[in-house]
């Protein structure tokens, strides 16, 4: 059986290899701080396996996180000179391959879908081929590997050094913002444990008209949208709004379909992700990478789509979740 833990080890190993590259890159004036930041992250992916099975203490992970925060906050991370092709070479390659360049990117969700839907029906040696409950995350990892191989074959790249250097350059360009989804998701969990969701629920139940399902749906969906805008991540808003409205009002009181309500609620949060500068890795960093004149350009372009999708999600939940 292929375990999700193996995928996390592979991710951790990749980060540590890239950290070694960063440490050896003399074009980066802050190479050692950068290498330490990403190396600690990679080591955390591996060490956390022992923390989960309680064979190692969790405190070193906490110390590593604090060190990473200090490295990023005090400016000890930077970027070196990217090893890449010239603009003319990239234009020539784009003209040669055309739309085929999208195939590797489309391969990832395709393989993930197959692993999530079809592979669980297969067995190997009397047991499941993929770890039960982790088919989607394993499909994502397997899809990334397949996409990498496909891209190397398409571009006739014989050495893994090229994608490694490209990955290192991307990490250095995005910097600490790449970790925002994980950090904000953790923040949402902290909010839920500290009782923020319950307090919001008390206020909501006091204001909501009793028995008005439509109003509760609007409050839940719009609340997911607004909390995501404030917190920068749908995963951070989800435990708060679900504890406040989604579970107690829509599921327990109104007897709504739980999977439908929770899935659509998360989609409403994703609508908020489209319009918040707090989601730096989604909205601000891409603008910097693309060298746009307006750093809020992606947000302005995505705002109409976000509003329309939010309205559609509200209608879908009200029509089909009860």
């Amino acid at each position: 059986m292929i375990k999700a833990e193996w995928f996390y080890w592979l991710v951790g190993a990749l980060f540590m290899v890239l950290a070694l590259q960063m440490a050896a890159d003399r074009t980066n004036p802050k190479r050692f701080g950068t290498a330490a930041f990403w190396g600690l992250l990679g080591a955390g992916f591996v060490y956390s396996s022992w923390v989960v099975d309680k064979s190692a203490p969790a405190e070193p992970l906490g110390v590593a996180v604090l060190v990473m925060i200090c490295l990023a906050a005090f400016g000890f991370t930077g970027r070196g000179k990217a090893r890449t092709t010239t603009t003319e070479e990239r234009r020539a390659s784009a003209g040669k391959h055309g739309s085929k360049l999208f195939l590797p990117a489309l391969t990832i969700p395709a393989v993930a879908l197959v692993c999530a839907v079809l592979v669980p029906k297969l067995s190997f040696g009397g047991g499941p081929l993929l770890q039960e409950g982790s088919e989607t995350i394993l499909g994502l990892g397997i899809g990334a590997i397949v996409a990498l191989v496909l891209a190397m074959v398409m571009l006739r790249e014989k050495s893994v050094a090229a994608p490694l250097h490209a990955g290192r350059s991307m990490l250095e360009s995005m910097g600490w913002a790449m970790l925002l989804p994980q950090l904000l998701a953790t923040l949402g969990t902290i909010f839920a444990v500290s009782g923020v969701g319950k307090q919001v629920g008390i206020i909501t139940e006091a204001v909501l008209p009793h028995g008005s399902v439509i109003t509760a749906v609007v409050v839940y969906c719009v609340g997911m949208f607004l909390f995501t805008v404030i917190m920068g991540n749908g995963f951070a808003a989800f435990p708060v709004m679900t504890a406040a409205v989604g579970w107690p009002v829509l599921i327990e009181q109104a007897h709504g379909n739980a999977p439908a309500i929770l899935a659509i609620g998360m989609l409403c949060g994703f609508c908020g992700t489209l319009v918040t500068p707090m989601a730096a890795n989604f909205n601000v960093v891409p603008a910097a990478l693309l060298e746009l004149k307006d750093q809020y350009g992606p947000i302005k372009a995505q705002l109409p789509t976000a509003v329309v999708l939010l309205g559609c999600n509200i209608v879908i939940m009200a029509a089909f979740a009860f």
Side-chain angles (χ1 to χ4, degrees), residues 3 19 28 87 92 103 105 117 128 139 149-150 156 164 167 182 190 196 223 240 275 277 285 299:
K3 299 181 179 180
N28 184 354
T87 303
L103 288 177
V117 177
V149 173
L150 176 60
R156 298 181 180 179
L164 284 175
Q182 291 85 352
I190 294 174
V196 174
V240 175
V275 298
V285 171
I299 293 177

Side-chain angles (χ1 to χ4, degrees), residues 148-206:
L148 174 61
V149 173
L150 176 60
M152 293 181 68
V153 171
M154 284 178 52
L155 301 177
R156 298 181 180 179
E157 181 61 56
K158 299 179 180 179
S159 173
V160 295
L164 284 175
H165 283 298
R168 172 176 63 86
S169 178
M170 182 63 72
L171 282 184
E172 291 178 346
S173 298
M174 295 186 67
W176 58 266
M178 180 181 175
L179 304 182
L180 273 178
Q182 291 85 352
L183 295 176
L184 292 172
T186 304
L187 177 63
T189 302
I190 294 174
F191 276 14
V193 173
S194 63
V196 174
K198 292 182 179 179
Q199 295 304 316
V200 174
I202 293 173
I203 297 173
T204 303
E205 289 186 10

